Amino acid sequence: MAVDEKLLDSIRTSIGSETTHSLGPVTALMIRRYARAIGESNPLYYDTEFARSRGHAEIVAPPNLVTAITSWDEGPAADDLRTDGTPKTLQLEGLPTSGVRVMGGGEDMEFHAPITAGTAVMERSTMIDAELLQGRKGPFIVVRYRHEFVDDEGVPLVTSTRKVLLR
Amino acid sequence: MSASSTATARDLRFGAVRVGDRLPETRHVPTRLQLFRYSAVTWNTHRIHFDPDYAAQEGYPDVLVQSHLHGAFLVSLCTEWMGVSGRLTRLEVSVRRYAVPGDVLVCAGEVTGVEQAGDGQGLVHLDVTETRESDGTVCAVANATVALPT
C-alpha cells in the first residue's frame, strides 16, 4: 500500500470518531511491577503507608503507566499476531494493516490527577487529524490521536496526544 | 538499572527554583532483562524489544529500548528532582534515536521557565534530554512541567 493522497483520504474518514473502552482497574501489583520494570524505588509506588502519609488513598502509579500499556486484556492468540509480534488487528482505528510501516512519533501527556491502586480507568480515543508530508526518505503520513483516560466517574486522569507515523 | 530513589528526601519549593537551574543527572543502563520485564508488564508483544534475531532482520544491532521506557527514564528524572511535594503535570516527549541494552543513557534537564499558578503553587518548565554517553547521540527529548508548592 503506497503512502499517498489516496491512503490519506481513507485515513481521514476516521477523523473525529470517538471510541470508548473500559480498561478495568489499575491494580497495586500492576503499579509495583511497572515501577520495578523502570528501575524505580520511590515508595509512593510500593508502600501503602507512605502513600497514605502523602494524602493518597493507596499507592500511586508512575505517571506514564497508563499510556505505556499496549494491551489491557489478554490480547490476541499467537496465530493472530503478525510476524513482528504485533496484533493483526491494530488498536488504532483507520490505519492500514499491511504494506506500511507504523512508528511512534512522540507523545504529549498531561497528568491531571494521580492514579491510585484500584482506580477503574476508561479510555476515550479520537483521531484528531492526519496529514501527508514529504521527508528526506520519501512521503510519510502523520496521524494524531487524543487518548483521554478518566476514572469511572469521568474525572480526567491523563490526556495523551500521540503522533503515529506511516512510511 | 537506575539509581535508587532520593525523591522522598527532597522537599523542593517553588521559590528555590531559578531559570537556568540544572537537574541532577541520572544514568540508566537498560538490560535485556529490563526490556523483557517492561514488555511483559505493558503486554507489548513486538519482537523488536525481545527477539535479537528479529531486530537483526530489521537492521538493528540488538533489541530496542521501548519508546515508553525512554519516556519513563525522563519522568523519573523529573520526579527525583521535584521530591515528594511536587507533581509532574505534563511531559511532551519525542524519541529520536534508538537505544539498545548496554547503552549508558544519561538524563539531564534545565529549568527554562517559572510561573505563579495560584492556589499556593507555581509551575516550573523544564527541557530534558536522554543522551547516549558513548557517542553523545540524543535518544529522546522532552518538555516537562512540574507543579511545586510556593
Side-chain angles (χ1 to χ4, degrees), chain A residues 30 33-34 36-43 45 50 54 63-64 67-71 73-75 81-87 101 105-114 162, chain B residues 1-5 7-8 11 28 34 37-38 41-48 54 58 60 68-69 71-73 75-76 79-80 84-85 87-95:
Chain A
M30 195 188 293
R33 283 184 171 175
Y34 185 85
R36 187 66 84 212
I38 64 176
E40 268 285 357
S41 58
N42 189 327
Y45 307 145
F50 180 83
R54 302 305 307 175
N64 77 339
T67 63
I69 291 180
T70 306
S71 173
D73 58 19
E74 70 280 11
L81 297 174
R82 299 193 291 183
T83 54
D84 67 0
T86 59
R101 201 164 175 190
E107 185 169 27
D108 185 0
M109 292 166 280
E110 293 176 78
F111 307 108
H112 307 294
R162 196 176 290 177
Chain B
M1 299 278 279
S2 63
S4 64
S5 173
T8 53
D11 189 18
H28 300 264
Q34 181 173 29
R37 290 215 284 197
Y38 196 79
V41 76
T42 59
W43 212 235
N44 180 345
T45 48
H46 202 311
R47 289 183 185 277
I48 203 78
Y54 176 79
E58 291 281 325
Y60 296 106
H68 282 95
L69 184 53
F73 292 156
V75 166
S76 291
T79 55
E80 287 278 317
V84 288
S85 299
R87 196 170 73 78
L88 182 67
T89 62
R90 185 169 195 171
L91 187 81
E92 182 181 9
V93 62
S94 179
V95 177

Side-chain angles (χ1 to χ4, degrees), chain A residues 1 29 110 114 164:
Chain A
M1 189 174 282
L29 181 58
E110 293 176 78
V164 176

